[in-house]
């Protein structure tokens, strides 16, 4: 069982069984054919659709599609996510970010944030050069930058604190 929620607040229960797909407990009869690596032609009843998978974030379980030119983002919850919601544990995987430490020794090439700036999980916050490769360090969670502890062109050691969060 999956719960699919669109950006405009519509929610569907999808149950994928051996021979059929149920959408809100009703059979969902459709025909789908791939026409490209991420593009599909779908026929549902007398209507025809072209659907393209624009992006897929499997960690956050969000997917963006372009259907007949209109962009739609959906979020998906599987049975385990739904169970965690029922138990009041839906935020069990979230954690408060206190700091970001250097994952390896290297040279700070660029600092992309400043004190007081709000960042979201996955936002690029710094570029660290290590072993002649540029590594983009990303925020491990949502937060507000309290202090940047390093400067551009500064050498850092592994586990050195780079950024503090409020």
């Amino acid at each position: 069982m999956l719960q699919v929620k669109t950006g405009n607040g519509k929610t569907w229960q999808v149950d994928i069984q051996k021979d059929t797909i149920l959408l809100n407990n009703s059979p969902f009869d459709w025909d789908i054919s791939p026409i490209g690596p991420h593009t599909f032609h779908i026929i549902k009843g007398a209507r025809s659709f072209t659907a393209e998978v624009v992006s897929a974030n499997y960690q956050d379980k969000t997917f963006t599609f372009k259907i007949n030119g209109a962009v739609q983002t959906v979020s998906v919850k599987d049975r385990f996510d739904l169970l965690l919601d029922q138990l009041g544990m839906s935020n069990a995987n979230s954690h408060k970010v206190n700091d970001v430490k250097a994952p390896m020794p290297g040279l700070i090439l660029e600092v992309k944030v400043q004190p007081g700036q709000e960042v979201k999980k996955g936002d690029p916050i710094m570029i660290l050069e290590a072993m002649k490769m540029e590594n983009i360090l990303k925020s491990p969670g949502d937060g507000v930058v309290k202090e940047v502890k390093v400067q551009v062109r500064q050498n850092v050691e592994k586990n050195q604190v780079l950024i503090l969060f409020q």
Side-chain angles (χ1 to χ4, degrees):
M1 171 76 80
L2 298 173
Q3 181 185 69
V4 179
K5 186 177 278 189
T6 63
N8 61 6
K10 292 184 181 177
T11 303
W12 292 279
Q13 301 299 325
V14 180
D15 191 7
I16 302 172
Q17 298 180 350
K18 184 177 179 181
D19 298 338
T20 188
I21 296 175
L22 298 177
L23 183 65
N24 292 337
N25 294 320
S26 297
F28 186 68
D29 299 320
W30 52 292
D31 184 30
I32 184 167
S33 299
I35 56 176
H38 303 287
T39 309
F40 302 88
H41 182 252
I42 302 169
I43 298 175
K44 169 73 170 98
R47 297 186 65 192
S48 174
F49 303 92
T50 301
E52 175 187 357
V53 179
V54 177
S55 66
N57 183 331
Y58 295 100
Q59 184 176 1
D60 292 338
K61 298 179 186 174
T62 57
F63 305 89
T64 302
F65 300 96
K66 189 183 290 184
I67 302 171
N68 288 349
V71 177
Q72 183 69 252
T73 300
V74 300
S75 60
V76 178
K77 291 185 178 185
D78 61 20
R79 62 187 175 125
F80 300 111
D81 296 322
L82 295 171
L83 179 60
L84 287 173
D85 284 349
Q86 288 176 348
L87 296 172
M89 299 173 57
S90 57
N91 293 328
N93 290 335
S94 65
H95 64 284
K96 183 173 176 353
V97 179
N98 293 322
D99 57 30
V100 172
K101 296 179 180 176
M104 63 192 84
L107 177 70
I108 302 297
L109 293 182
E110 185 178 349
V111 178
K112 295 184 168 279
V113 295
Q114 55 191 343
Q117 182 176 343
E118 187 174 324
V119 294
K120 300 286 184 197
K121 181 177 180 179
D123 286 352
I125 55 174
M126 194 169 290
I127 298 179
L128 174 72
E129 181 183 85
M131 298 182 289
K132 301 192 190 226
M133 292 181 57
E134 291 184 8
N135 301 283
I136 299 174
L137 303 182
K138 297 181 178 182
S139 177
D142 297 350
V144 176
V145 177
K146 179 178 180 181
E147 183 181 356
V148 178
K149 303 284 278 181
V150 294
Q151 298 175 355
V152 174
R153 308 296 308 158
Q154 180 179 341
N155 286 310
V156 296
E157 298 298 321
K158 181 178 180 173
N159 292 325
Q160 180 177 338
V161 175
L162 306 175
I163 295 177
L164 293 175
F165 290 93
Q166 293 180 357

